[in-house]
Amino acid sequence: MSFNVAIDGPAGAGKSTVARAVARQLEMIYVDTGAMYRAMALYMLREKVALEDVEGIVEKCQHADISIRYENGAQVVLLNGENVNPFLRTEEVGNAASVVSPIAEVREKMKRLQKELAAKNDCVMDGRDIGTCVLPKAQLKIYLTASSQVRAERRYLELAAKGEQGDIAKIRADIEERDYRDMHRENSPLTQAEDAIFLDTSHITAEEAVEAILKLCRERRG
Ligand code: DC
């Protein structure tokens, strides 16, 4: 049976950095489920489906074939055969992903693919509903979070490193709005699974979070 680690939490808590590092150390694959929802959002933007048009999204999502491939250990998301990694990390696509991801048909499609990956591989999977819905039997579940102020400051620094100017108050407001949508949607809202371990990264480094999770993995894996 494969060993699965589920890491859930709000946007900007450091899930992907931490999950990727844990997976590398344990020689497991890292599955970034947010990237899969982003690929679906990108498809809707490209096809010019209005984001308010739920029926249109449901219809179109049947034509989006999303799959995952690994190249040198890194996840490559394929949208109808095209590597779309370079287009996924924009604010526009992130916001669109937050709008398309609550739709039941979209989630069912993604969930099926995620369950298959986890059944076949030892993996660290991060997202919003991994511990609660996708992998309820994961051997280790982590709920990783940080205050919205700290998450906004981190995002601001990321943008600055790319030479882009950000406004912390605006970034924080966007983060809080996205949290609200993710936590209050009808389908698979972001919540902490009962058996998940709560880890607040507001005042610890990513390395410290990784160490804490590695220790738990070693204990659980025996
Ligand atoms: O983690 P991220 O920012 O890449 O996620 C993009 C959007 O996808 C985010 O608004 C929440 C949604 N998402 C989801 O609903 N379920 C997941 N398992 C992962 C992401």
Side-chain angles (χ1 to χ4, degrees), residues 8-12 15-16 32-38 88-89 93-102 107 110 114 125-130 134 178-179 181-182 185 187-188 190:
D8 291 299
K15 294 188 301 293
S16 57
D32 171 0
T33 63
M36 296 163 74
Y37 287 98
R38 284 170 184 262
L88 300 182
R89 307 242 50 101
V93 171
N95 286 324
S98 163
V99 178
V100 305
S101 60
R107 298 206 75 78
M110 299 294 121
Q114 292 156 10
M125 187 177 286
D126 79 358
R128 304 293 188 285
D129 61 337
I130 311 307
V134 181
R178 200 180 295 182
D179 284 358
R181 273 207 297 268
D182 291 346
R185 66 187 181 205
N187 288 310
S188 315
L190 168 63

Side-chain angles (χ1 to χ4, degrees), residues 16-219:
S16 57
T17 309
V18 167
R20 189 177 291 113
V22 169
R24 191 178 309 122
Q25 296 259 355
L26 298 176
E27 297 186 352
M28 295 170 25
I29 63 165
Y30 163 50
V31 183
D32 171 0
T33 63
M36 296 163 74
Y37 287 98
R38 284 170 184 262
M40 183 61 86
L42 176 70
Y43 182 71
M44 298 304 160
L45 294 171
R46 283 180 170 180
E47 292 290 311
K48 308 219 179 321
V49 182
L51 294 176
E52 311 76 58
D53 180 8
V54 174
E55 272 178 33
I57 294 174
V58 168
E59 200 280 317
K60 275 281 176 198
C61 94
Q62 297 167 30
H63 307 289
D65 176 34
I66 292 168
S67 59
I68 301 261
R69 193 171 68 197
Y70 288 87
E71 282 177 12
N72 304 320
Q75 170 178 291
V76 173
V77 183
L78 301 174
L79 170 61
N80 294 330
E82 175 194 351
N83 172 359
V84 289
N85 276 17
F87 311 109
L88 300 182
R89 307 242 50 101
T90 66
E91 291 301 301
E92 187 193 15
V93 171
N95 286 324
S98 163
V99 178
V100 305
S101 60
I103 299 173
E105 287 79 357
V106 170
R107 298 206 75 78
E108 277 313 309
K109 194 169 169 150
M110 299 294 121
K111 228 159 54 172
R112 218 175 308 128
L113 186 57
Q114 292 156 10
K115 279 176 183 283
E116 268 172 35
L117 281 166
K120 287 190 199 139
N121 303 280
D122 288 346
C123 71
V124 182
M125 187 177 286
D126 79 358
R128 304 293 188 285
D129 61 337
I130 311 307
T132 50
C133 297
V134 181
L135 306 177
K137 299 212 169 94
Q139 286 85 346
L140 176 63
K141 298 179 186 177
I142 305 287
Y143 188 83
L144 197 78
T145 189
S147 70
S148 56
Q149 179 63 24
V150 166
R151 288 184 281 139
E153 287 165 9
R154 287 180 187 157
R155 181 77 189 128
Y156 174 85
L157 292 175
E158 261 171 40
L159 288 172
K162 288 195 283 182
E164 291 171 37
Q165 181 78 40
D167 169 351
I168 293 196
K170 162 89 172 63
I171 298 172
R172 180 175 167 169
D174 283 349
I175 283 178
E176 288 175 352
E177 193 187 318
R178 200 180 295 182
D179 284 358
Y180 188 87
R181 273 207 297 268
D182 291 346
M183 290 174 180
H184 292 86
R185 66 187 181 205
E186 201 174 318
N187 288 310
S188 315
L190 168 63
T191 50
Q192 182 179 346
E194 264 180 27
D195 51 350
I197 292 168
F198 181 85
L199 191 55
D200 185 336
T201 68
S202 301
H203 306 293
I204 62 171
T205 63
E207 290 74 23
E208 288 168 322
V210 170
E211 274 314 309
I213 297 173
L214 284 173
K215 187 162 172 280
L216 290 163
C217 284
R218 291 187 185 113
E219 285 167 13

